[in-house]
């Protein structure tokens, strides 16, 4: 892994944690049990962290910093996004070329969607209708419908797309 890739992975974790803690209506994203920007997270706020080398997503209680669960996902989980209502967690599996969809209430994978090569970043549209996945290996973005769970479009975007903010 190059230094830039390592920095990108670390940035993705920070973005995911920020999105989870900031909550609905914030520019960064949302999750169940959230706080407004500049405030402490609610006692029931959860943070989802992709554990690249264990093929899991850790669920962390933001108030206590305690790991409260672990969800097995695909090979090489890399990035996490939470739906605006906090009900779904989307995880890119970079070595499996898939996205795992986790039901946040049950903490179980409810769907696995095949996408492009080496998916590395994921985000959910503000209206929660689509999930966008940057595929570094195939130089495109997969668009997943949250209603059907199917890839509805593939957008060519150029060499090794990354989501930087």
């Amino acid at each position: 892994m190059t230094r830039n890739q390592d920095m990108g992975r670390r940035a993705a974790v920070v973005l995911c944690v920020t999105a989870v803690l900031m909550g609905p209506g914030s520019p960064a994203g949302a999750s169940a049990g959230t706080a407004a920007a500049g405030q402490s997270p609610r006692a029931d706020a959860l943070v989802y962290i992709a554990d690249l080398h264990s093929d899991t997503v850790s669920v962390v209680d933001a108030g206590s910093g305690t790991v409260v669960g672990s969800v097995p996902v695909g090979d090489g989980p890399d990035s996490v996004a939470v739906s605006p209502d906090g009900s779904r967690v989307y995880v890119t599996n970079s070595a499996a070329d898939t996205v795992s969809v986790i039901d946040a209430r049950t903490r179980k994978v409810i769907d696995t969607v095949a996408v492009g090569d080496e998916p590395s970043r994921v985000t959910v549209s503000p209206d929660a209708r689509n999930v966008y996945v940057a595929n570094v290996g195939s130089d495109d973005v997969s668009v997943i419908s949250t209603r059907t769970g199917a890839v509805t479009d593939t957008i060519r975007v150029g060499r090794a797309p990354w989501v930087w903010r």
Side-chain angles (χ1 to χ4, degrees):
M1 178 181 308
T2 68
R3 185 178 186 306
N4 284 343
Q5 287 172 320
D6 183 50
M7 287 174 53
R9 291 181 198 277
R10 290 178 192 197
V13 169
V14 171
L15 286 173
C16 293
V17 170
T18 301
V20 169
L21 295 178
M22 289 180 69
S26 73
S31 86
T34 58
Q39 296 178 348
S40 297
R42 287 184 8 193
D44 61 346
L46 299 174
V47 178
Y48 299 91
I49 302 171
D51 299 323
L52 181 66
H53 299 292
S54 66
D55 299 337
T56 62
V57 169
S58 292
V59 182
V60 178
D61 178 288
S64 68
T66 304
V67 175
V68 295
S70 180
V71 182
V73 292
D75 191 13
D78 191 347
S79 180
V80 177
V82 180
S83 64
D85 68 0
S87 66
R88 299 285 184 264
V89 180
Y90 299 89
V91 183
T92 59
N93 301 305
S94 61
D97 300 337
T98 61
V99 171
S100 294
V101 182
I102 299 170
D103 180 301
R105 186 182 56 76
T106 64
R107 296 186 191 149
K108 301 220 181 285
V109 173
I110 58 171
D111 198 5
T112 302
V113 182
V115 293
D117 294 337
E118 198 179 343
S120 64
R121 299 295 179 265
V122 62
T123 191
V124 182
S125 65
D127 64 7
R129 290 183 181 171
N130 294 302
V131 174
Y132 297 92
V133 182
N135 303 303
V136 173
S138 54
D139 301 331
D140 57 29
V141 172
S142 296
V143 181
I144 301 169
S145 165
T146 57
R147 187 178 60 76
T148 66
V151 174
T152 59
D153 198 5
T154 301
I155 305 165
R156 298 286 303 165
V157 293
R159 187 171 170 262
W162 289 77
V163 179
W164 291 101
R165 296 182 188 229

